[in-house]
Amino acid sequence: MLGAARRQLGSGPMLGQFLRRRRPAAATEAARGYSAAAKEMTVRDALNSALDEEMSADPSVFLMGEEVGEYQGAYKISKGLLDKYGPDRVLDTPITEAGFTGIGVGAAYHGLRPIVEFMTFNFSMQAIDHIINSAAKSNYMSAGQISVPIVFRGPNGAAAGVGAQHSQCYAAWYAHVPGLKVLTPYSAEDARGLLKAAIRDPDPVIFLENELLYGESFPVSAEVLDSSFCLPIGKAKVEREGKDVTITTYSKMVGYALQAAEILSKEGISAEVINLRSIRPLDRAAINASVRKTNRLVTVEEGFPQHGIGAEIWFSCSLACSPSLHTLVCSI
C-alpha cells in the first residue's frame, strides 16, 4: 500500500504534500485497542468457539457444508463439533453448493438458523442464485413476513499457491445486493464477536474470512472470551489513531495498513487506520468523522479496483466531507 502511494506520488515532496500537514506526528501512537488483553487466540479458535457457544445456546443453529463433520472442516474451523452435537446438527454434504445452499435457505424459511460453509467463497458462485434471489430478496418480497436467518461463511480472497479462480474477493460483489449483510473480520476479536452477531441476526449474512489469517494469533481480553460477547454489525473500529491521513481497510489488509502506518510514523506522518469490520452496512459516520479530521483518505482492499469498496467510500466521503479531499484508492 505504501509502495503504491510512492509509485503514484513519488518519494519526495509530493508524498509529503499528500500525506502530511507540515507538523510533527504525535509523540505516541494509540494502542491497537485490545485493552486488558490477558491471553492470545488464533482466528481459527475464535471462529470455532463462537460456533460452539452459539450452537450450545440455541438448538435451532446447525452447520452444513463439505467436510465440516468427519474431517472437522477443511481448515479445522468445526473441530470437535460433530462429536459434541452429532450428525443432525453438523451435516457433511455432497460437493454440490447449489443443492446444500438451497436446503439451508429453505431451513431458514422455517425458523432454523443454518450456517452454510463454503470451502472457499469462490464456490459460492455455484449457489449465487439461492444467496441473492432466495435469501436476500425474500424479506422484501414477502413484505416482511419471511425472515431468513442464515449465515454463509468461509475463506475469501487470495490464499497461498492457488489459481486466479480460487483467489477472488467477494466483498464488493455481495455488498452490492440489498438484503444481505457483509462482514469481514480481521482479528480474533472480530472473528468471535462478528460471527456471534451474524448467527443471531434475523437476516442473511455473508461472512468473509481469510484463509491466511486462520493461524494468526491476536490478544483477547476477558470480555472477548465471555460467552455473551458480541460485536455490533455496522460498526467500524479505529485500530490506530492519527491526524494526517485516514486509511480504511478490512480483513487481512488491516495488518498491512497497520504496518504502513508504523513506517509512515517514522517519517513524521500520523496515520489513522480504520478496520471496517462491516462492509454492508458501512459505518459511514466513523469514516466521515476521521476524514473530516485528516482531510486525506487512502482506501485499501484486496478486490478488483473498478467498482470496489474504495470507490464507494470515496464517493460517500466526497459528498459528506471537504470537496478538496485528497484520495488514493489501493487495490492489492
Side-chain angles (χ1 to χ4, degrees):
M1 181 194 69
L2 181 60
R6 289 192 187 283
R7 285 194 297 274
Q8 291 198 27
L9 302 170
S11 58
M14 287 188 68
L15 181 63
Q17 290 169 18
F18 182 79
L19 291 174
R20 175 169 53 215
R21 292 175 183 148
R22 296 186 181 277
R23 60 175 183 264
T28 59
E29 297 288 348
R32 287 171 61 182
Y34 304 109
S35 59
K39 62 172 292 186
E40 290 200 343
M41 174 181 272
T42 65
V43 171
R44 176 181 291 107
D45 289 341
L47 294 168
N48 177 267
S49 65
L51 288 171
D52 184 12
E53 289 172 12
E54 293 305 302
M55 291 180 72
S56 177
D58 186 347
S60 69
V61 177
F62 70 95
L63 175 67
M64 64 190 306
E66 297 157 4
E67 300 185 344
V68 299
E70 295 289 347
Y71 192 66
Q72 305 191 79
Y75 300 97
K76 302 298 180 271
I77 304 299
S78 54
K79 184 177 180 180
L81 299 183
L82 176 63
D83 292 339
K84 186 171 183 178
Y85 298 104
D88 288 341
R89 296 183 64 196
V90 182
L91 287 77
D92 279 321
T93 67
I95 305 174
T96 170
E97 283 78 12
F100 65 74
T101 303
I103 292 171
V105 173
Y109 283 173
H110 286 274
L112 298 179
R113 291 184 174 271
I115 304 164
V116 174
E117 177 178 312
F118 296 117
M119 194 176 292
T120 163
F121 249 92
N122 298 276
F123 299 160
S124 74
M125 294 177 71
Q126 303 292 325
I128 202 165
D129 180 59
H130 289 302
I131 295 170
I132 294 175
N133 287 324
S134 299
K137 297 180 181 178
S138 290
N139 186 263
Y140 169 76
M141 294 178 69
S142 68
Q145 297 179 76
I146 300 176
S147 293
V148 192
I150 187 170
V151 177
F152 304 101
R153 53 155 296 270
N156 170 70
V162 296
Q165 75 273 35
H166 284 190
S167 300
Q168 298 168 104
C169 176
Y170 286 87
W173 291 52
Y174 287 118
H176 183 67
V177 181
L180 293 178
K181 295 176 181 177
V182 181
L183 306 181
T184 53
Y186 162 60
S187 65
E189 176 182 314
D190 292 355
R192 185 168 156 78
L194 290 175
L195 184 54
K196 282 173 163 283
I199 295 170
R200 298 175 191 180
D201 199 86
D203 297 313
V205 178
I206 303 292
F207 197 85
L208 301 175
E209 301 155 13
N210 187 285
E211 176 186 338
L212 299 178
L213 286 175
Y214 284 147
E216 287 201 24
S217 295
F218 293 86
V220 289
S221 66
E223 178 189 7
V224 172
L225 295 173
D226 190 274
S227 61
S228 64
F229 177 71
C230 186
L231 287 172
I233 292 175
K235 293 294 183 183
K237 178 183 180 182
V238 177
E239 297 280 354
R240 179 182 179 126
E241 293 185 354
K243 60 185 179 180
D244 295 328
V245 59
T246 298
I247 304 174
T248 62
T249 186
Y250 59 90
S251 190
K252 186 172 175 58
M253 297 299 106
V254 175
Y256 291 119
L258 289 168
Q259 292 176 35
E262 184 62 29
I263 294 171
L264 289 171
S265 70
K266 297 174 182 177
E267 301 182 10
I269 301 167
S270 175
E272 183 151 290
V273 177
I274 297 180
N275 172 7
L276 296 175
R277 283 181 167 170
S278 175
I279 303 299
R280 187 183 183 108
L282 190 65
D283 192 351
R284 299 175 193 273
I287 298 168
N288 291 342
S290 178
V291 172
R292 288 190 184 103
K293 176 174 64 175
T294 66
N295 201 41
R296 296 169 178 84
L297 170 66
V298 176
T299 73
V300 186
E301 62 186 294
E302 198 175 336
F304 302 131
Q306 187 165 328
H307 303 129
I309 306 301
E312 175 69 20
I313 292 172
W314 169 81
F315 181 72
S316 176
C317 286
S318 67
L319 294 177
C321 304
S322 169
S324 61
L325 172 68
H326 300 284
T327 306
L328 178 65
V329 178
C330 300
S331 181
I332 298 177

